[in-house]
Amino acid sequence: MPSARLTLDPRFTVGAVHRRVFGSFVEHLGRCVYDGIYEPGHPAADEDGFRTDVLDLVRELGVSTIRYPGGNFVSGYRWEDGVGPRESRPRRLDLAWHSVETNQVGLHEFARWNDKAGSELMLAVNLGTRGVQEALDLLEYSNVRSGSALSDQRAADGTPEPFGVRMWCLGNEMDGPWQLGHRSAEDYGKLASQTAKAMRQLDPSVQLVVCGSSNSAMPTFGAWERTVLEHTYADVDYISCHAYYAEKDGDLAGFLASAVDMDRFIESVVATADHVKAVLRSEKTIDISFDEWNVWYQERFHSEDQITDIEQWPYAPRLLEDVYSVADAVVVGSLLISLLKHADRVTSASLAQLVNVIAPIMTEPGGPAWRQTTFFPFALTSRLARGNALRVELACDTYRTSQHGDVPVVDAVATHDPETGRTALFLVNRAIEGPVTVTVDAAALAGVQVLESHTLHDGDPYAANTLAEPSRITPAENKSVLLENGSLTVELPPVSWTAISLG
């Protein structure tokens, strides 16, 4: 039986775990907003038309920050369309997703929903088809208390107090040829710098995210980050990363090692940012906002979901509604491990997306809402990961993959909260066949006991939760966990994700 060894010691810190790492993403795409969070005719709808069953699940998920309103959608979005009387709001054609946007949910409605969800609002500005002035207008409308035309308009539109949005994205995926307003790194860097400087003149407290590469396979990856940061380093706080993973050609072993790619992606962007820091002789450090990440079967979208005839562009179509398996959930759990292993630099992240669209929560119009398999590793990690991320000094067997080379069979990270004394350990077994025994040196955690243990696993790694079987997969207590004489032993079943809380 393969084995692994690691050490839990509160002195071996990576960095503080920032709550913004457990963010998510709501875009006007498919049924994420309409028939997702908002369905006025639903039996569970509240006075604002929001589904309370979805809100309950969002709160259970433990989402800290929600990025809005896009995504590709934002590069053609006029924020003014979504404010003022609903009966006067225009219907628009959304060029990003070939859909009709009614604008019945806009800034006020989403901010109200966000408050109900207990999350922080993170806004993106349109730097695709718009620019500096429109970003300033949105910032004034959102954050200035009163006494200006746009702040007074916000009050007249029904929200006297400012939204107080702290975190702002300067466009979306501007390196992508698919993006409205796509431009070179040089041109985008200049525009982002101008926009950032102007926004800080209006509100110096804003925290700004500049666009990094859409993924690490982009031909401009690395060079894009360097050029953009050369223009914006003094003006912004974060550079974004986006990454999606999927099983391809039946290569489950390679798919389960997806976090190896995320690790390399993060470390490459950190190295590039620090290179620019050195060249500019700056004392400032740029952090990473990994504001789009998930498992996404993009080939399904391109082969099945594309809508091309403009006369048939629908309202709230079923787009990107991937049904997630146990294997997908294990990968999501391992991607969360990767984010925590880089807690010193990844201080914000957004699981894309939240409801219906490549999402941990699914709904049926007029019907139920349920948890996908990917819901569980996110919810448990968000609840248990507190304090500082720890280096665990993992030693284990490896296996060979065609995509990533030799990779560890087990992936792991831990967190420790000095205030409560609680420690959380997160483990993934990538082995397709057979369990792995993990031995943990916990001597530095004197006197602790196992408070809870959860393992997500099924004999069929492709088992999923569906409308017909919404509770087919749920985490179970891992009864193999044994803590004795400062040593913790746990058996991990194949293709599984485990969380253990000690205190």
Side-chain angles (χ1 to χ4, degrees), residues 86-166:
R86 280 180 167 172
E87 62 273 14
S88 302
R89 296 181 189 178
R91 292 169 65 91
R92 301 285 190 191
L93 296 178
D94 169 27
L95 302 185
W97 301 107
H98 293 188
S99 306
V100 173
E101 173 57 50
T102 66
N103 287 298
Q104 291 303 288
V105 171
L107 179 56
H108 289 259
E109 291 80 18
F110 189 75
R112 194 176 306 125
W113 179 87
N114 214 57
D115 286 343
K116 294 180 181 187
S119 299
E120 178 189 1
L121 176 58
M122 175 180 177
L123 282 181
V125 300
N126 178 356
L127 292 188
T129 57
R130 312 189 91 182
V132 178
Q133 186 60 62
E134 291 84 1
L136 282 174
D137 289 348
L138 178 56
L139 179 59
E140 178 184 330
Y141 187 92
S142 299
N143 283 13
V144 174
R145 182 168 298 278
S146 63
S148 70
L150 289 169
S151 62
D152 290 347
Q153 181 186 333
R154 182 199 66 243
D157 288 339
T159 306
E161 292 298 311
F163 297 117
V165 181
R166 298 271 60 83

Side-chain angles (χ1 to χ4, degrees), residues 389-403:
L390 304 182
R391 293 182 176 88
V392 297
E393 304 300 329
L394 175 68
C396 69
D397 298 330
T398 63
Y399 70 100
R400 187 74 181 169
T401 69
S402 58
Q403 298 179 58

Side-chain angles (χ1 to χ4, degrees), residues 2 26 74 111 123 133 231 423:
V26 167
V74 79
L123 282 181
Q133 186 60 62
H231 284 287
T423 301

Side-chain angles (χ1 to χ4, degrees), residues 373 376-377 380 453-457 473-477 497:
T373 58
F376 301 109
L380 284 164
S453 63
H454 310 271
T455 291
L456 188 72
H457 165 74
I473 302 297
T474 58
E477 179 185 0
W497 174 89

Side-chain angles (χ1 to χ4, degrees), residues 194-268:
Q194 292 167 356
T195 306
K197 286 182 170 69
M199 292 178 73
R200 289 200 192 280
Q201 281 185 257
L202 180 60
D203 184 348
S205 70
V206 294
Q207 296 171 296
L208 303 176
V209 185
V210 73
C211 290
S213 295
S214 303
N215 59 73
S216 61
M218 294 295 290
T220 55
F221 172 59
W224 174 275
E225 280 79 2
R226 185 192 68 246
T227 300
V228 168
L229 284 175
E230 285 171 348
H231 284 287
T232 63
Y233 200 92
D235 306 316
V236 302
D237 305 283
Y238 298 87
I239 187 164
S240 71
C241 291
H242 291 182
Y244 295 99
Y245 299 96
E247 181 180 342
K248 298 178 181 178
D249 302 320
D251 184 10
L252 179 57
F255 175 50
L256 291 169
S258 295
V260 172
D261 179 81
M262 180 181 265
D263 289 339
R264 293 169 181 167
F265 189 3
I266 292 169
E267 289 155 15
S268 295

